[in-house]
Amino acid sequence: EVQLVETGGGLIQPGGSLRLSCAASGFSVSSDYMSWVRQAPGKGLEWISVVYSGGTPYHAESVKGRFTVSRDTSTNMVFLQMNSLRVEDTAVYYCAKGGMGVWGKGTTVIVSS
Amino acid sequence: DVVMTQSPLSLPVTLGQPASISCRSSQSLVHSDGNTYLTWFQQRPGQSPRRLIYKVSNRDSGVPDRFSGSGSGTDFTLKISRVEAEDVGVYYCMQGTDWPRTFGQGTKVEIK
């Protein structure tokens, strides 16, 4: 069964850093592109990052220069390193496979002092 | 970036009646490979998004056939032929033709 499990969320102060992980099972993360999508409380969906099957990353302007997506094919995991966090980064963060036919349950990030 | 605009944003429906959601893109979603990458998602309360429809009109496995997608170019529609209680939630369209991926604002479907 294809499955994604996100971990690493939590409460962090503005300006802090957090690393989210997405563990994939049932397929190889090198076989497809992997995205991160977030959802602020009571708001809609926002795509923020992708790592292509070849490993190249790409980020939305809203997080460029602060967030970095990467993957580890040996552990079959995808990561989102989040630096210089802002209050407006508070959201549930989901990872999704390829054309977004598979999503994880998400991990919650709260940026607050 | 491609702007996706959904309407209506709120859709009260009667059980057993049809429902329709419109999604318009600010530019054509026809990819250079000839495909049109318009996707519909359902998000039930407290759950992760679930893909219903991809490439305009292709239903995902396990999606009831009362859901259908149509459209071309910049205008797309998601239809529910007969709304059931389990269809309550927010529906999003998303363009997958260009980066960054962009979503519509979401349409909240509720039972009257």
Side-chain angles (χ1 to χ4, degrees), chain A residues 64-107:
Chain A
K64 193 175 289 185
R66 301 188 299 123
F67 291 11
T68 303
V69 62
S70 62
R71 67 175 190 188
D72 184 338
T73 55
S74 66
T75 58
N76 213 34
M77 295 183 73
V78 180
F79 305 99
L80 186 67
Q81 178 66 43
M82 304 187 297
N83 299 330
S84 302
L85 281 161
R86 304 168 179 168
V87 171
E88 55 265 34
D89 295 319
T90 294
V92 176
Y93 286 73
Y94 299 99
C95 66
K97 176 184 181 292
M100 300 193 199
V102 180
W103 294 64
K105 293 189 185 303
T107 186

Side-chain angles (χ1 to χ4, degrees), chain A residues 99-103, chain B residues 4 21 23 29 36-43 49-72 76-81 91-96 103:
Chain A
M100 300 193 199
V102 180
W103 294 64
Chain B
M4 306 297 290
I21 300 170
C23 176
L29 299 186
T36 300
Y37 294 99
L38 187 283
T39 303
W40 289 97
F41 298 94
Q42 173 195 61
Q43 188 174 32
R50 168 198 182 195
R51 192 176 71 182
L52 298 176
I53 303 281
Y54 61 95
K55 286 195 285 187
V56 181
S57 59
N58 295 272
R59 261 192 314 274
D60 270 276
S61 175
V63 174
D65 61 7
R66 63 179 181 275
F67 289 93
S68 64
S70 63
S72 64
F76 306 93
T77 302
L78 175 70
K79 291 183 179 178
I80 310 174
S81 59
Y91 292 78
Y92 297 92
C93 62
M94 183 201 78
Q95 64 82 17
F103 293 87

Side-chain angles (χ1 to χ4, degrees), chain A residues 33 35 37 39 43-47 50 52 58 94 99-101 103-106, chain B residues 1 39 41 43 47-51 60 92 94 96 99-105:
Chain A
Y33 60 91
S35 288
V37 177
Q39 186 170 35
K43 301 298 185 182
L45 301 170
E46 179 190 15
W47 174 88
V50 64
Y52 295 114
Y58 179 68
Y94 299 99
M100 300 193 199
W103 294 64
K105 293 189 185 303
Chain B
D1 297 0
T39 303
F41 298 94
Q43 188 174 32
Q47 295 188 11
S48 303
R50 168 198 182 195
R51 192 176 71 182
D60 270 276
Y92 297 92
M94 183 201 78
W99 297 100
R101 301 298 195 238
T102 46
F103 293 87
Q105 314 98 299

